[in-house]
Amino acid sequence: MPKDSKKPNHRTDVPSSSKTSKPPKANSADEEIARRLDEQLNPGRMGDADGDDAHDGQSCPVEIQTAIDYAQLFAKDILNTTCHTCDSDLIEELDLSWWIKSWKATRGMKSATPASAVTCDCDALTCLGCAEKPRRGDPRYMTDHHGLKLDWCCNKGGSFVAWVLLCQYDEMELSLQERSLQHQAASKMHQAGKDRSGGVGYGSHFSANPFAFDPMHSSSADEGYRRRGLRQALDFHQVDSDTDKLTDWIIGILVELLPRRSETERKVNPALSSMIELSLLQDRLAELLRNDSLQDVDTRASLYFKTFEFVSRLGNHESLDYLVCEERFVKKQSAGLYAISTKDNGRGKQKAQAPLTVALGRDGKASSLISCLSKLATQSKVLLNGSSKQAAGDNIWQVAKKIDSLYGRLADTSAKDTAITTWKGYHEAHCLERRADVARHLCRDMYKLAQQHQSSAKGRMSRLVTEASEMATSLPTNIFVKVDEALIIGPTDTPYDGGLFEFDIVCGEHYPATPPSVWFLTTGQGVAAFNPNLYNFGKVCLSLINTWETQDPASKWQPYKSTLHSVLVSIQAMILWKWPYENEPTHEGAHLQGGRMRQKCLEYNEDIRSKTLRYATLDWLTRKEMRDGLWKQVVRDYFRFCGKTLVERWRQWEQGKKKLSMFGGSSEKKLVDELEAAIERIRK
């Protein structure tokens, strides 16, 4: 963290639930509400003012219950605000669509819209924050967001605007999740042959609302709560371009409501942080930050830059930084912020069902928002340290700089024990390396090919730089990349287990419109074919790189969509797999058949195991040009970490298998014994 911040008192100090008949008009309304919110009454209380529980009978974490109390007290004050002139009630329920529509209708006007004020029947304008005539023109409480000028009068007026936006966001999020459930249900019906829609893929009961994500046409929040209840489990993996637009718009205004980096002394209404914590926006932000694709971030740059600024402003204020730097409570189900904050609105309109459920016990906490950014931060550092602005492209370079700066400021980067004690940890730290001398390690044919591609189509270098950066955090365990070279270690429970398989990869001048060229190097100097798709002269047959004919277009290279990462994963999963004999077109499912076909599968596996131990393992340990070559450190560290376990598995392979047992098939020297001795030498 950037500072030794301590939790704000309001995280666990439960506010008073007492309520005057109307907002105070003496002195400052902001100070009065802050005073009442900061009262430390009943610090151990777990239920709300009426003894109800926010978890339908389960105990509620005190931090969440406190946040609910703040939000409910805030909503009660807002809904009970009266006209500063005639003392008439102003609003009974919050009509989200009306507020959003009224704001957007003033876009382009010269003067700012009083965003937190309501006109009474007596024509007097009253701020719902301070219950006074709105003060106009104070730059601290104004914004011009893409032509939409808003003026929220006072600190609490800004909290009201945030409440409307967060409630509206939750409605949109729940609509998205509801629609996703309907799609899933329709898909299951279609797969089961029960689709009644005449083949369009959805049942006639489903009709997408074209205004579902348009704040101008949103249904009221309370209707959403009654319609949805708590029937669905929350899932934030859905992505929708329409929700991106609204999320972008909402976050853009929320950013202006938060203190700037230079305004660290500015007071923040405790209800504001509580509402952010209770809103589903916090969970959506976590999903956005957890993205492990810099390319996707670049594509959605407007949304992400606003997200980064929002997180930055939260993290830079001592009463808000816990929302970014501390672990979050996991929301299992929610009816949305409006339902949470108006469960008891002071007018006897209680909801019968708890509007929020969070996970308890060991599963009750999720990573902090800043921790969710760790993968993108790693990728950004790799890109910035291993490339140039010209090679990467200006847009992706700016994205990487923003991420690196944000993570560096807010993440806990204090010195820790960084000793690597597991092979998985080693892979995470060393799976990607950029070396200027890699090209000289290419085989002769691939080196010539690389020399032919000195020129690049537009966007090629930027794409390669971005892909390489993404692989720093996305490569599966046992795949290593050094620019034009890849090393894939054979997966466990396959005849390739423990073997190290090297590939040359060259991306042509038209990449990614065309696939990369891939060449297999681990052939025992042209002796061993390890698979029907891996030839002893180096050819790699794979539909994804268009070297294997297929009638399925989806299996071929998809220009500008397929990636080097997908090629490497395909080799690991589809070629170096458990039943390589079935990679022959006529042998699919052979291991499931009885008799001779299954026997051929087993014999083929024994042959591959023998080749794996001899040419993909022992050669790496005994042939100097391989042992001390490009992959020298990976080879040594792999056998230091995994050597003993590998030998134990190989001993099991060896039992009763003459071909495996004898080195070269005829010598009296056992292959696994030779391997064990070589591993011991390298471990020392």
Side-chain angles (χ1 to χ4, degrees):
M1 292 186 186
K3 50 191 171 294
D4 295 324
S5 59
K6 53 185 178 182
K7 291 184 181 180
N9 290 337
H10 71 265
R11 286 285 278 142
T12 52
D13 296 340
V14 182
S16 168
S17 60
S18 61
K19 179 73 179 82
T20 57
S21 60
K22 53 187 174 182
K25 296 184 179 180
N27 302 321
S28 166
D30 285 345
E31 293 176 1
E32 176 64 18
I33 189 64
R35 182 188 65 77
R36 288 190 284 118
L37 286 172
D38 283 333
E39 289 178 345
Q40 300 182 17
L41 299 179
N42 307 314
R45 186 163 60 93
M46 302 295 283
D48 61 16
D50 300 295
D52 290 336
D53 189 276
H55 290 266
D56 240 1
Q58 302 179 49
S59 71
C60 175
V62 65
E63 295 94 337
I64 291 296
Q65 186 57 60
T66 302
I68 291 173
D69 289 339
Y70 276 117
Q72 290 181 351
L73 183 55
F74 176 84
K76 188 183 295 187
D77 276 312
I78 293 294
L79 296 175
N80 286 345
T81 301
T82 59
C83 175
H84 73 92
T85 299
C86 69
D87 219 26
S88 300
D89 289 338
L90 292 174
I91 58 174
E92 183 173 349
E93 290 189 88
L94 189 69
D95 186 341
L96 296 176
S97 61
W98 183 89
W99 282 97
I100 298 290
K101 190 184 300 183
S102 67
W103 294 343
K104 296 188 76 172
T106 62
R107 187 187 299 275
M109 294 181 63
K110 292 184 178 180
S111 59
T113 301
S116 62
V118 175
T119 303
C120 180
D121 291 339
C122 71
D123 290 332
L125 198 62
T126 301
C127 172
L128 294 174
C130 60
E132 299 288 351
K133 181 179 179 180
R135 294 169 290 182
R136 307 289 295 274
D138 189 332
R140 294 176 301 170
Y141 306 123
M142 297 176 63
T143 185
D144 186 346
H145 184 65
H146 298 298
L148 180 61
K149 298 179 181 179
L150 301 179
D151 185 329
W152 48 86
C153 173
C154 59
N155 190 33
K156 191 181 170 192
S159 298
F160 169 76
V161 174
W163 185 43
V164 173
L165 292 170
L166 291 169
C167 287
Q168 176 62 46
Y169 177 82
D170 281 13
E171 279 304 293
M172 181 271 293
E173 181 66 56
L174 290 171
S175 294
L176 172 64
Q177 302 213 11
E178 187 174 50
R179 190 171 76 165
S180 176
L181 287 177
Q182 290 174 325
H183 276 248
Q184 293 174 23
S187 178
K188 289 179 181 178
M189 288 180 62
H190 179 72
Q191 293 174 7
K194 298 179 180 180
D195 180 31
R196 302 178 183 178
S197 61
V200 298
Y202 300 101
S204 58
H205 66 283
F206 175 69
S207 175
N209 175 7
F211 303 117
F213 306 106
D214 186 347
M216 297 283 287
H217 296 86
S218 170
S219 60
S220 77
D222 198 39
E223 288 174 348
Y225 170 68
R226 289 195 296 267
R227 180 179 69 253
R228 250 174 237 105
L230 292 174
R231 293 176 295 172
Q232 65 188 63
L234 294 172
D235 177 10
F236 295 92
H237 290 89
Q238 302 95 339
V239 176
D240 185 286
S241 59
D242 291 324
T243 64
D244 268 11
K245 293 176 184 176
L246 182 55
T247 306
D248 185 316
W249 185 80
I250 287 175
I251 294 178
I253 299 177
L254 286 173
V255 164
E256 299 301 321
L257 297 169
L258 298 174
R260 291 178 173 81
R261 195 174 179 185
S262 59
E263 299 176 314
T264 55
E265 301 301 318
R266 178 174 150 189
K267 291 184 178 180
V268 175
N269 191 323
L272 177 60
S273 58
S274 296
M275 292 186 291
I276 295 173
E277 183 173 22
L278 297 172
S279 170
L280 299 177
L281 180 62
Q282 187 189 40
D283 306 270
R284 175 58 66 184
L285 292 176
E287 193 63 31
L288 287 170
L289 298 176
R290 201 177 284 118
N291 190 344
D292 62 354
S293 170
L294 274 175
Q295 292 183 72
D296 184 59
V297 173
D298 185 32
T299 302
R300 304 158 72 190
S302 176
L303 170 61
Y304 268 93
F305 273 112
K306 289 185 178 68
T307 297
F308 297 150
E309 182 61 25
F310 184 65
V311 171
S312 177
R313 293 203 182 188
L314 290 176
N316 285 321
H317 198 280
E318 64 178 0
S319 63
L320 298 171
D321 63 354
Y322 75 93
L323 294 168
V324 171
C325 300
E326 295 182 10
E327 289 184 327
R328 301 167 290 118
F329 285 95
V330 177
K331 301 181 184 76
K332 296 175 66 177
Q333 293 174 318
S334 174
L337 179 61
Y338 186 77
I340 295 169
S341 52
T342 59
K343 186 184 179 191
D344 175 10
N345 64 19
R347 294 178 179 173
K349 296 192 176 183
Q350 286 181 276
K351 314 299 183 195
Q353 192 177 20
L356 175 66
T357 304
V358 300
L360 302 174
R362 288 181 298 177
D363 299 325
K365 291 291 189 75
S367 300
S368 67
L369 286 182
I370 198 62
S371 295
C372 292
L373 190 61
S374 60
K375 285 191 175 182
L376 283 176
T378 299
Q379 293 177 17
S380 297
K381 190 168 288 294
V382 168
L383 186 147
L384 295 171
N385 292 341
S387 183
S388 65
K389 185 176 181 179
Q390 182 179 5
D394 184 62
N395 291 344
I396 198 72
W397 186 265
Q398 295 303 324
V399 168
K401 284 190 67 176
K402 184 68 175 178
I403 293 171
D404 187 57
S405 173
L406 178 63
Y407 192 77
R409 280 203 325 271
L410 299 181
D412 184 1
T413 55
S414 57
K416 295 180 180 179
D417 181 9
T418 56
I420 297 174
T421 58
T422 66
W423 175 244
K424 182 179 179 181
Y426 179 88
H427 175 268
E428 290 176 352
H430 301 284
C431 63
L432 180 79
E433 183 182 350
R434 295 185 174 185
R435 287 180 49 169
D437 64 339
V438 168
R440 69 182 179 85
H441 291 273
L442 294 171
C443 69
R444 184 178 61 184
D445 291 342
M446 293 294 275
Y447 181 79
K448 288 182 179 179
L449 184 62
Q451 294 304 305
Q452 295 172 12
H453 301 313
Q454 296 299 316
S455 61
S456 286
K458 183 179 179 180
R460 173 180 177 270
M461 282 306 300
S462 176
R463 173 64 177 260
L464 288 172
V465 167
T466 306
E467 280 196 42
S469 301
E470 290 180 357
M471 285 193 287
T473 61
S474 62
L475 283 173
T477 302
N478 289 345
I479 296 181
F480 293 83
V481 173
K482 293 181 188 286
V483 190
D484 294 325
E485 296 265 351
L487 187 72
I488 302 178
I489 298 175
T492 307
D493 297 327
T494 74
Y496 303 100
D497 184 10
L500 287 78
F501 301 91
E502 187 179 15
F503 297 84
D504 281 349
I505 303 173
V506 173
C507 297
E509 58 186 321
H510 297 296
Y511 182 87
T514 57
S517 298
V518 182
W519 203 250
F520 179 51
L521 300 180
T522 309
T523 63
Q525 296 181 305
V527 173
F530 276 89
N531 188 287
N533 298 84
L534 298 176
Y535 289 76
N536 62 343
F537 58 87
K539 182 178 180 180
V540 177
C541 283
L542 189 66
S543 57
L544 183 57
I545 56 175
N546 297 347
T547 55
W548 178 260
E549 291 297 325
T550 177
Q551 300 302 314
D552 180 13
S555 299
K556 297 181 179 180
W557 182 261
Q558 305 296 310
Y560 303 101
K561 294 182 179 179
S562 299
T563 62
L564 289 172
H565 179 276
S566 61
V567 171
L568 295 172
V569 171
S570 294
I571 292 173
Q572 184 187 53
M574 301 173 65
I575 295 181
L576 304 177
W577 75 301
K578 191 172 185 177
W579 302 106
Y581 183 72
E582 297 185 12
N583 281 29
E584 285 285 4
T586 59
H587 297 165
E588 292 93 340
H591 78 281
L592 299 175
Q593 303 176 29
R596 184 60 184 156
M597 287 300 289
R598 180 171 177 81
Q599 184 60 32
K600 284 185 176 181
C601 274
L602 297 175
E603 290 173 356
Y604 191 87
N605 275 10
E606 185 178 343
D607 182 58
I608 296 301
R609 285 192 180 106
S610 176
K611 292 176 180 176
T612 295
L613 296 186
R614 292 175 60 201
Y615 304 118
T617 307
L618 188 59
D619 278 1
W620 286 100
L621 293 164
T622 57
R623 286 180 55 191
K624 181 175 175 55
E625 68 272 21
M626 295 177 69
R627 184 186 66 230
D628 297 332
L630 179 66
W631 300 102
K632 173 181 177 179
Q633 199 57 50
V634 174
V635 171
R636 292 172 181 271
D637 290 333
Y638 175 60
F639 289 110
R640 285 170 183 156
F641 274 105
C642 307
K644 291 185 68 174
T645 304
L646 288 170
V647 169
E648 291 174 2
R649 290 206 296 268
W650 293 336
R651 291 288 182 202
Q652 296 176 3
W653 281 7
E654 185 184 39
Q655 294 177 7
K657 303 293 191 301
K658 183 177 180 181
K659 192 170 187 177
L660 271 176
S661 178
M662 309 309 294
F663 178 78
S666 58
S667 170
E668 292 300 317
K669 197 169 189 178
K670 289 188 175 182
L671 178 55
V672 177
D673 288 344
E674 179 70 10
L675 282 165
E676 185 175 26
I679 289 173
E680 283 302 312
R681 286 195 297 271
I682 208 169
R683 283 167 62 90
K684 292 177 181 178

Short mmCIF file of all heavy atoms in Angstrom, two decimals, residues 414-447:
data_model
loop_
_atom_site.label_atom_id
_atom_site.label_comp_id
_atom_site.label_asym_id
_atom_site.label_seq_id
_atom_site.Cartn_x
_atom_site.Cartn_y
_atom_site.Cartn_z
N SER A 414 5.84 -4.32 -0.72
CA SER A 414 6.91 -4.36 0.28
C SER A 414 7.71 -5.65 0.12
O SER A 414 7.22 -6.65 -0.42
CB SER A 414 6.31 -4.29 1.69
OG SER A 414 5.38 -5.32 1.89
N ALA A 415 8.92 -5.63 0.61
CA ALA A 415 9.80 -6.79 0.45
C ALA A 415 9.22 -8.02 1.12
O ALA A 415 8.76 -7.99 2.25
CB ALA A 415 11.18 -6.46 1.05
N LYS A 416 9.20 -9.10 0.37
CA LYS A 416 8.70 -10.36 0.91
C LYS A 416 9.72 -11.46 0.61
O LYS A 416 10.65 -11.28 -0.17
CB LYS A 416 7.34 -10.72 0.26
CG LYS A 416 6.23 -9.74 0.61
CD LYS A 416 4.94 -10.17 -0.08
CE LYS A 416 3.80 -9.22 0.25
NZ LYS A 416 2.54 -9.60 -0.44
N ASP A 417 9.49 -12.62 1.19
CA ASP A 417 10.33 -13.77 0.88
C ASP A 417 9.98 -14.23 -0.53
O ASP A 417 8.92 -14.78 -0.77
CB ASP A 417 10.07 -14.88 1.90
CG ASP A 417 10.95 -16.10 1.63
OD1 ASP A 417 11.84 -15.99 0.77
OD2 ASP A 417 10.72 -17.14 2.27
N THR A 418 10.88 -13.97 -1.47
CA THR A 418 10.60 -14.28 -2.87
C THR A 418 11.23 -15.59 -3.31
O THR A 418 11.31 -15.87 -4.50
CB THR A 418 11.09 -13.15 -3.77
OG1 THR A 418 12.49 -12.93 -3.53
CG2 THR A 418 10.33 -11.85 -3.49
N ALA A 419 11.72 -16.38 -2.38
CA ALA A 419 12.34 -17.66 -2.74
C ALA A 419 11.31 -18.55 -3.41
O ALA A 419 10.18 -18.70 -2.95
CB ALA A 419 12.89 -18.33 -1.48
N ILE A 420 11.72 -19.14 -4.52
CA ILE A 420 10.82 -20.03 -5.27
C ILE A 420 11.02 -21.44 -4.76
O ILE A 420 12.13 -21.99 -4.78
CB ILE A 420 11.13 -19.95 -6.78
CG1 ILE A 420 10.85 -18.53 -7.29
CG2 ILE A 420 10.30 -20.97 -7.55
CD1 ILE A 420 11.26 -18.31 -8.72
N THR A 421 9.95 -22.06 -4.29
CA THR A 421 10.05 -23.38 -3.66
C THR A 421 9.29 -24.46 -4.42
O THR A 421 9.36 -25.63 -4.06
CB THR A 421 9.50 -23.33 -2.22
OG1 THR A 421 8.13 -22.87 -2.26
CG2 THR A 421 10.33 -22.38 -1.37
N THR A 422 8.56 -24.11 -5.47
CA THR A 422 7.80 -25.10 -6.24
C THR A 422 8.07 -24.91 -7.72
O THR A 422 8.46 -23.83 -8.17
CB THR A 422 6.29 -24.97 -5.99
OG1 THR A 422 5.83 -23.70 -6.50
CG2 THR A 422 5.96 -25.07 -4.50
N TRP A 423 7.84 -25.97 -8.48
CA TRP A 423 8.02 -25.88 -9.93
C TRP A 423 6.99 -24.93 -10.54
O TRP A 423 7.31 -24.18 -11.47
CB TRP A 423 7.90 -27.26 -10.56
CG TRP A 423 7.96 -27.24 -12.05
CD1 TRP A 423 6.99 -27.60 -12.93
CD2 TRP A 423 9.07 -26.80 -12.85
NE1 TRP A 423 7.41 -27.43 -14.23
CE2 TRP A 423 8.69 -26.93 -14.21
CE3 TRP A 423 10.33 -26.30 -12.56
CZ2 TRP A 423 9.53 -26.59 -15.26
CZ3 TRP A 423 11.18 -25.96 -13.61
CH2 TRP A 423 10.78 -26.10 -14.94
N LYS A 424 5.78 -24.93 -10.01
CA LYS A 424 4.77 -24.00 -10.52
C LYS A 424 5.22 -22.56 -10.31
O LYS A 424 5.06 -21.72 -11.21
CB LYS A 424 3.43 -24.24 -9.80
CG LYS A 424 2.31 -23.35 -10.30
CD LYS A 424 0.99 -23.65 -9.59
CE LYS A 424 -0.10 -22.72 -10.10
NZ LYS A 424 -1.39 -22.97 -9.39
N GLY A 425 5.77 -22.27 -9.15
CA GLY A 425 6.27 -20.93 -8.89
C GLY A 425 7.42 -20.56 -9.81
O GLY A 425 7.52 -19.43 -10.28
N TYR A 426 8.29 -21.55 -10.08
CA TYR A 426 9.39 -21.31 -11.01
C TYR A 426 8.85 -20.97 -12.39
O TYR A 426 9.32 -20.03 -13.06
CB TYR A 426 10.29 -22.54 -11.09
CG TYR A 426 11.45 -22.37 -12.05
CD1 TYR A 426 12.65 -21.83 -11.63
CD2 TYR A 426 11.32 -22.74 -13.39
CE1 TYR A 426 13.71 -21.66 -12.52
CE2 TYR A 426 12.37 -22.57 -14.29
CZ TYR A 426 13.56 -22.04 -13.85
OH TYR A 426 14.59 -21.85 -14.73
N HIS A 427 7.85 -21.73 -12.85
CA HIS A 427 7.27 -21.49 -14.17
C HIS A 427 6.67 -20.09 -14.25
O HIS A 427 6.85 -19.37 -15.23
CB HIS A 427 6.21 -22.54 -14.49
CG HIS A 427 5.50 -22.30 -15.77
ND1 HIS A 427 4.32 -21.59 -15.85
CD2 HIS A 427 5.80 -22.66 -17.05
CE1 HIS A 427 3.93 -21.52 -17.10
NE2 HIS A 427 4.80 -22.16 -17.85
N GLU A 428 5.94 -19.70 -13.23
CA GLU A 428 5.32 -18.38 -13.23
C GLU A 428 6.37 -17.27 -13.35
O GLU A 428 6.13 -16.24 -13.98
CB GLU A 428 4.50 -18.18 -11.96
CG GLU A 428 3.24 -19.05 -11.91
CD GLU A 428 2.50 -18.92 -10.60
OE1 GLU A 428 3.05 -18.28 -9.67
OE2 GLU A 428 1.39 -19.46 -10.47
N ALA A 429 7.53 -17.49 -12.76
CA ALA A 429 8.57 -16.47 -12.76
C ALA A 429 9.41 -16.47 -14.04
O ALA A 429 9.98 -15.44 -14.41
CB ALA A 429 9.49 -16.66 -11.55
N HIS A 430 9.47 -17.62 -14.74
CA HIS A 430 10.42 -17.74 -15.85
C HIS A 430 9.80 -18.25 -17.16
O HIS A 430 10.55 -18.61 -18.07
CB HIS A 430 11.56 -18.69 -15.45
CG HIS A 430 12.32 -18.25 -14.24
ND1 HIS A 430 13.24 -17.23 -14.26
CD2 HIS A 430 12.27 -18.69 -12.95
CE1 HIS A 430 13.76 -17.07 -13.05
NE2 HIS A 430 13.19 -17.93 -12.24
N CYS A 431 8.49 -18.29 -17.26
CA CYS A 431 7.87 -18.89 -18.44
C CYS A 431 8.11 -18.08 -19.71
O CYS A 431 8.06 -18.62 -20.82
CB CYS A 431 6.37 -19.10 -18.23
SG CYS A 431 5.44 -17.56 -17.99
N LEU A 432 8.39 -16.80 -19.57
CA LEU A 432 8.62 -15.95 -20.75
C LEU A 432 9.92 -15.18 -20.57
O LEU A 432 10.15 -14.57 -19.53
CB LEU A 432 7.47 -14.96 -20.94
CG LEU A 432 7.62 -14.03 -22.15
CD1 LEU A 432 7.26 -14.76 -23.43
CD2 LEU A 432 6.74 -12.80 -21.99
N GLU A 433 10.75 -15.23 -21.60
CA GLU A 433 12.01 -14.48 -21.56
C GLU A 433 12.27 -13.91 -22.95
O GLU A 433 12.07 -14.58 -23.96
CB GLU A 433 13.17 -15.38 -21.16
CG GLU A 433 14.49 -14.64 -21.03
CD GLU A 433 15.64 -15.55 -20.66
OE1 GLU A 433 15.39 -16.73 -20.32
OE2 GLU A 433 16.79 -15.09 -20.71
N ARG A 434 12.71 -12.67 -22.97
CA ARG A 434 13.06 -12.04 -24.25
C ARG A 434 14.57 -11.94 -24.35
O ARG A 434 15.21 -11.31 -23.51
CB ARG A 434 12.42 -10.66 -24.35
CG ARG A 434 10.91 -10.73 -24.39
CD ARG A 434 10.32 -9.37 -24.62
NE ARG A 434 8.88 -9.45 -24.81
CZ ARG A 434 8.11 -8.42 -25.12
NH1 ARG A 434 8.65 -7.23 -25.29
NH2 ARG A 434 6.82 -8.57 -25.27
N ARG A 435 15.12 -12.55 -25.40
CA ARG A 435 16.56 -12.52 -25.62
C ARG A 435 16.85 -12.11 -27.05
O ARG A 435 16.23 -12.62 -28.00
CB ARG A 435 17.18 -13.90 -25.34
CG ARG A 435 17.24 -14.25 -23.88
CD ARG A 435 17.84 -15.61 -23.64
NE ARG A 435 19.10 -15.81 -24.35
CZ ARG A 435 19.91 -16.86 -24.13
NH1 ARG A 435 19.58 -17.76 -23.22
NH2 ARG A 435 21.02 -16.99 -24.82
N ALA A 436 17.79 -11.22 -27.19
CA ALA A 436 18.11 -10.70 -28.53
C ALA A 436 18.81 -11.75 -29.40
O ALA A 436 18.79 -11.66 -30.62
CB ALA A 436 18.98 -9.45 -28.41
N ASP A 437 19.43 -12.77 -28.76
CA ASP A 437 20.22 -13.74 -29.52
C ASP A 437 19.46 -15.01 -29.86
O ASP A 437 20.05 -16.00 -30.30
CB ASP A 437 21.48 -14.11 -28.74
CG ASP A 437 21.16 -14.82 -27.42
OD1 ASP A 437 20.02 -14.67 -26.94
OD2 ASP A 437 22.04 -15.50 -26.88
N VAL A 438 18.14 -15.02 -29.66
CA VAL A 438 17.38 -16.25 -29.87
C VAL A 438 17.44 -16.69 -31.33
O VAL A 438 17.50 -17.88 -31.64
CB VAL A 438 15.91 -16.06 -29.43
CG1 VAL A 438 15.04 -17.20 -29.92
CG2 VAL A 438 15.84 -15.98 -27.92
N ALA A 439 17.42 -15.74 -32.27
CA ALA A 439 17.36 -16.09 -33.69
C ALA A 439 18.51 -17.01 -34.10
O ALA A 439 18.33 -17.90 -34.95
CB ALA A 439 17.37 -14.82 -34.54
N ARG A 440 19.68 -16.85 -33.48
CA ARG A 440 20.81 -17.69 -33.88
C ARG A 440 20.66 -19.14 -33.43
O ARG A 440 21.42 -20.01 -33.86
CB ARG A 440 22.12 -17.10 -33.36
CG ARG A 440 22.30 -17.16 -31.85
CD ARG A 440 23.62 -16.50 -31.44
NE ARG A 440 23.83 -16.49 -30.01
CZ ARG A 440 24.37 -17.52 -29.34
NH1 ARG A 440 24.74 -18.60 -29.99
NH2 ARG A 440 24.55 -17.44 -28.03
N HIS A 441 19.67 -19.40 -32.56
CA HIS A 441 19.42 -20.77 -32.12
C HIS A 441 18.40 -21.48 -33.01
O HIS A 441 18.15 -22.67 -32.83
CB HIS A 441 18.91 -20.76 -30.67
CG HIS A 441 19.95 -20.36 -29.68
ND1 HIS A 441 20.83 -21.24 -29.11
CD2 HIS A 441 20.26 -19.14 -29.17
CE1 HIS A 441 21.64 -20.60 -28.27
NE2 HIS A 441 21.30 -19.32 -28.29
N LEU A 442 17.81 -20.76 -33.95
CA LEU A 442 16.85 -21.38 -34.86
C LEU A 442 17.56 -22.39 -35.76
O LEU A 442 18.73 -22.22 -36.10
CB LEU A 442 16.16 -20.32 -35.72
CG LEU A 442 15.24 -19.32 -35.01
CD1 LEU A 442 14.84 -18.21 -35.99
CD2 LEU A 442 14.00 -20.00 -34.46
N CYS A 443 16.81 -23.42 -36.17
CA CYS A 443 17.38 -24.34 -37.15
C CYS A 443 17.59 -23.60 -38.48
O CYS A 443 17.04 -22.52 -38.69
CB CYS A 443 16.47 -25.55 -37.34
SG CYS A 443 14.90 -25.18 -38.16
N ARG A 444 18.40 -24.17 -39.34
CA ARG A 444 18.82 -23.47 -40.55
C ARG A 444 17.65 -22.99 -41.39
O ARG A 444 17.59 -21.82 -41.80
CB ARG A 444 19.73 -24.37 -41.39
CG ARG A 444 20.31 -23.67 -42.63
CD ARG A 444 21.22 -24.59 -43.39
NE ARG A 444 20.49 -25.77 -43.84
CZ ARG A 444 21.05 -26.81 -44.47
NH1 ARG A 444 22.37 -26.81 -44.68
NH2 ARG A 444 20.33 -27.84 -44.85
N ASP A 445 16.66 -23.86 -41.63
CA ASP A 445 15.54 -23.50 -42.49
C ASP A 445 14.70 -22.39 -41.87
O ASP A 445 14.26 -21.45 -42.56
CB ASP A 445 14.66 -24.73 -42.77
CG ASP A 445 15.37 -25.74 -43.66
OD1 ASP A 445 16.35 -25.36 -44.33
OD2 ASP A 445 14.94 -26.92 -43.69
N MET A 446 14.48 -22.48 -40.57
CA MET A 446 13.66 -21.46 -39.91
C MET A 446 14.43 -20.14 -39.79
O MET A 446 13.83 -19.05 -39.84
CB MET A 446 13.24 -21.94 -38.53
CG MET A 446 12.28 -23.14 -38.57
SD MET A 446 10.67 -22.74 -39.29
CE MET A 446 9.83 -22.09 -37.85
N TYR A 447 15.75 -20.21 -39.66
CA TYR A 447 16.54 -18.98 -39.62
C TYR A 447 16.45 -18.25 -40.95
O TYR A 447 16.27 -17.02 -40.99
CB TYR A 447 18.00 -19.30 -39.30
CG TYR A 447 18.88 -18.08 -39.22
CD1 TYR A 447 18.89 -17.28 -38.08
CD2 TYR A 447 19.70 -17.72 -40.29
CE1 TYR A 447 19.68 -16.15 -38.00
CE2 TYR A 447 20.49 -16.59 -40.23
CZ TYR A 447 20.49 -15.81 -39.08
OH TYR A 447 21.28 -14.70 -39.02
#
